[in-house]
Amino acid sequence: MTAANAETILKSSHLLGIEALSVGEITSLLDLADSYVALNRSAKKKTELLKGRTLINLFFEASTRTQSSFELAGKRLGADVLNMAVKTSSVSKGETLIDTATTLNAMRPDILVVRHPDSGAAELLSRKLDCSVINAGDGSHEHPTQALLDALTMRRRGRKFEGLIVAICGDVLHSRVARSNIQLLLKMGARVRLVAPRTLLPADAERFGVEIFHDMKKGLEGVDVVMMLRLQLERMAGAFVPSTREYFRFYGLDAEKLKRAKPGALVMHPGPMNRGVEIDSAVADDIEVSVIQEQVEMGVAIRMAVLDALSRGLAREGRNAP
């Protein structure tokens, strides 16, 4: 099945956030990603679906998992992939985001993957560029492909979203991962709990339609999935927690706290992990409960699915690859 004749999955030519996706679009992306999991586990991992297409990764923030998985996803689909070195580009000389967009647009890329410290940066670029834009994380706003890969991981572990209880624990205030996951899980019929100290919750957290707990043991009672978040010290100006040692004591996931969850509850973490701060190594490395490495694997598959879906839109719009 080629992009030109395949069923359209995404209505938009961009992926800027979970908020704009319908339940049908989310489900279709997860279904498509399932096929890429199988491809990635086979001996022959490459296709020519995106042959002739150009994918640019533009990361203004450091990234290991997201950038490398988008690069791998693009190459496995046959695209020409360029990783922009922001630190050595004109951005480091004071070039504005708009000027950068204008320059990139002149190079005629087909898909741009962008990570930026400012919320709304991806949406701004989508209005200035002729190509498809994928938000790989903008400030504390959204990280849609992370939420999609988390959902894929849960679904492949046999979890049905309807009625699923997911506890998102830790630094919710600074987490774009949390915001995208909250939106996706609620859309799909799950129940979401936020477990965090008051200092690490948004002031308007109640309006998200979630349950809020400040006591981690109570927050984990009977949950199906425990999703830990990294303590983002680099985004904190001031003392949000007394110390990392105290934080781990009350909000770090260890075997004792995990006992409060349902038997067989999944443990997730978007990475990178701060071991001994938000999660104990014994839990993170326990293959009976931890699906953290599976999340990394699902990241490649879901990003292949997103690139595939957007390429169908390009073909629909008449922007056929050479």
Side-chain angles (χ1 to χ4, degrees), residues 158-231:
R159 272 51 175 187
K160 296 182 179 180
F161 297 116
E162 191 67 39
L164 192 73
I165 305 176
V166 181
I168 301 178
C169 311
D171 187 2
V172 178
L173 178 64
H174 302 101
S175 178
R176 52 198 174 208
V177 172
R179 285 165 176 76
S180 287
N181 265 296
I182 289 168
Q183 293 189 57
L184 187 150
L185 290 166
L186 293 179
K187 280 178 189 264
M188 302 302 285
R191 291 171 52 192
V192 178
R193 298 179 183 179
L194 300 183
V195 183
R198 297 179 191 277
T199 54
L200 292 178
L201 282 173
D204 58 350
E206 290 82 1
R207 74 175 180 83
F208 294 165
V210 300
E211 301 171 69
I212 295 175
F213 293 83
H214 301 299
D215 184 312
M216 191 167 183
K217 291 181 179 179
K218 291 181 180 178
L220 296 187
E221 287 285 352
V223 304
D224 300 287
V225 179
V226 183
M227 185 180 295
M228 301 307 299
L229 300 173
R230 182 174 67 86
L231 195 60

Side-chain angles (χ1 to χ4, degrees), residues 107-148:
M107 297 179 187
R108 305 297 296 168
D110 296 290
I111 300 173
L112 175 75
V113 181
V114 62
R115 170 171 287 191
H116 198 279
D118 294 336
S119 299
E123 196 275 335
L124 176 63
L125 286 172
S126 74
R127 291 190 272 115
K128 300 295 181 180
L129 292 164
D130 295 325
C131 67
S132 293
V133 174
I134 299 173
N135 181 5
D138 61 331
S140 298
H141 178 228
E142 276 225 48
H143 192 351
T145 57
Q146 180 68 47
L148 288 164

